[in-house]
Amino acid sequence: MRKSIRNWAAIFMAVTMAGSMMAGCSSSAQKGSSQAESGKAEGQEQAESGKTSEAVDGSGAHIGIIFTEAGLGGNSFNDLALEGVKKAAEDYGITYDEVEPKSVSDEEIIQDEMAASGEYDLIICVGAEQVDALTNVANTYPEQKFALLDAASDLSNVASYSCKEQEGAFLAGALAAMAKAEKIDDKLGDGKTIGFIGGVNNPLINRFAAGYQAGAQYVDPDMTVLIDYAGGFNDPTTAKTIANTFVEKGADLIFHAAGASGMGMFQAAEEKGFVAIGVNLNQNGIAPDFIMASMLKKLDSCAYHAITSIVEGTYTGENQVLGLSDGGVEVTAEGSNITVSDDILTKLEELKQKIIAGEIEVPSELN
């Protein structure tokens, strides 16, 4: 790595209090870099002048990645995106800088500083919360290449990667209903109530909720799916409270799409004795006696693909939506101590193939 900018967001906050944020950030961005020049215009010229020849074999490619404000360590999609970058570093020899913003307002500042520096062949922005900021910054630096994960943009210098969350969630819901029907674990009772905890009430998270509900009710039309939202992706306390409330209402199996907030649901599962389903990456090992499965959302593959396009010189500002047919989403029980029967796994594969063939249309919105 040429230099570490992990603490930029903290620096930004401090400089803001001092009343000289932009000057301080500009100095931080340029210090120690032979590539960076003062001013946005010169930064744009560097982005244009190009490291295309260097990036062909990966050894000269320098990548920036900006996470959501939830940060790393929540065993969720920020961590997954970073895994894709790390794999690209191993395979191609690229270097990268990673930044954990302390607030959503920091994200545009960090995007702007990275783009102005002219140091980055690609700047990866994670999450829908960065779309508005990225629209402003990408328009300001039209020659800078960006990748947007887990959201979409129509800008020609932004390659967008999103997933058909509803398709993976449909399998999670179907698994939940079948697991209850077979009572594969003694924590599952006779009731027909399961739960879903989302991070926030928005279209993306509701694709998870809609698919989960549809999958469960495809298997058992009488299944009730309780749905609530933590109000954020880094609030495990609220998610835990919601999970406990669901248990009081009869739910003994709960799926989350709540980022780091989901850790609170897992804590509740261990304390209250219900079965959980994780999300984004394989979270089964966090509490293998309580987490039956995880719905995988392959943001690592998205990040890796974006970097590969830089290394191979094939980058285009395209929108890609990945589903079951192209490995963008999946469900896994690997690493759980709760045994999912071969019969259930076979039925899940059959449902997957029906979705791919178009025989099952999975809703992307809640009824």
Side-chain angles (χ1 to χ4, degrees):
M1 214 184 289
R2 295 180 190 175
K3 61 189 179 64
S4 174
I5 55 174
R6 181 186 292 270
N7 295 320
W8 272 17
I11 294 172
F12 291 153
M13 294 176 69
V15 175
T16 301
M17 294 174 65
S20 58
M21 178 184 293
M22 294 310 296
C25 291
S26 178
S27 173
S28 174
Q30 295 161 14
K31 184 178 179 181
S33 172
S34 61
Q35 297 277 335
E37 303 291 338
S38 61
K40 292 182 180 179
E42 291 180 55
Q44 283 180 259
E45 289 174 4
Q46 287 190 339
E48 294 176 24
S49 69
K51 303 186 215 169
T52 304
S53 60
E54 290 182 25
V56 169
D57 66 0
S59 61
H62 191 46
I63 309 299
I65 182 167
I66 305 167
F67 303 110
T68 67
E69 68 169 333
L72 297 167
N75 201 242
S76 194
F77 60 92
N78 283 322
D79 303 87
L80 192 59
L82 181 57
E83 287 304 309
V85 176
K86 288 179 177 179
K87 186 176 189 305
E90 293 174 1
D91 291 351
Y92 300 130
I94 60 104
T95 57
Y96 66 92
D97 291 327
E98 57 186 88
V99 187
E100 298 180 67
K102 299 302 180 185
S103 67
V104 173
S105 61
D106 283 337
E107 292 167 355
E108 184 167 355
I109 298 169
I110 298 168
Q111 291 174 15
D112 189 272
E113 288 297 320
M114 280 188 166
S117 75
E119 293 184 16
Y120 297 94
D121 297 280
L122 180 71
I123 299 171
I124 300 173
C125 302
V126 182
E129 70 185 42
Q130 298 203 52
V131 170
D132 291 342
L134 182 56
T135 299
N136 294 333
V137 174
N139 275 315
T140 302
Y141 301 94
E143 301 303 322
Q144 172 65 61
K145 296 180 177 69
F146 296 89
L148 176 62
L149 306 187
D150 207 25
S153 170
D154 294 328
L155 297 178
S156 61
N157 60 330
V158 179
S160 302
Y161 298 87
S162 55
C163 296
K164 297 178 182 178
E165 293 88 1
Q166 66 273 19
E167 292 187 353
F170 183 97
L171 295 184
L175 170 59
M178 287 188 284
K180 283 183 61 61
E182 289 193 12
K183 295 183 182 178
I184 66 170
D185 188 89
D186 59 11
K187 292 183 282 294
L188 298 174
D190 294 324
K192 291 183 178 292
T193 301
I194 60 177
F196 171 83
I197 301 175
V200 295
N201 185 352
N202 68 15
L204 187 153
I205 297 302
N206 283 333
R207 289 200 290 271
F208 285 98
Y212 182 65
Q213 178 176 263
Q217 294 177 347
Y218 183 91
V219 172
D220 184 348
D222 295 326
M223 188 68 68
T224 296
V225 182
L226 305 175
I227 299 172
D228 203 350
Y229 306 87
F233 294 99
N234 198 18
D235 188 355
T237 299
T238 298
K240 182 177 181 179
T241 299
I242 293 170
N244 288 337
T245 300
F246 283 177
V247 170
E248 292 173 1
K249 294 181 177 180
D252 52 14
L253 197 157
I254 304 174
F255 172 44
H256 89 90
S261 299
M263 300 301 288
M265 186 198 78
F266 295 149
Q267 292 174 2
E270 292 181 289
E271 294 173 7
K272 297 292 186 179
F274 63 83
V275 174
I277 298 178
V279 77
N280 291 329
L281 70 168
N282 189 341
Q283 298 186 313
N284 301 341
I286 295 174
D289 292 331
F290 297 88
I291 304 175
M292 172 179 65
S294 293
M295 192 211 102
L296 306 182
K297 187 172 173 181
K298 305 293 187 66
L299 288 190
D300 53 342
S301 298
C302 294
Y304 186 88
H305 179 87
I307 295 170
T308 298
S309 73
I310 294 298
V311 172
E312 297 182 348
T314 59
Y315 175 94
T316 59
E318 59 188 354
N319 285 320
Q320 295 193 38
V321 183
L322 310 178
L324 288 173
S325 63
D326 36 31
V329 293
E330 189 57 90
V331 171
T332 181
E334 182 179 351
S336 173
N337 291 338
I338 300 173
T339 301
V340 177
S341 69
D342 290 340
D343 182 54
I344 290 178
L345 293 175
T346 298
K347 289 178 180 176
L348 282 178
E349 181 61 27
E350 291 172 356
L351 291 176
K352 174 181 175 180
Q353 294 307 318
K354 286 183 178 181
I355 293 171
I356 292 173
E359 296 176 28
I360 295 176
E361 293 186 11
V362 181
S364 59
E365 297 179 352
L366 284 167
N367 309 5

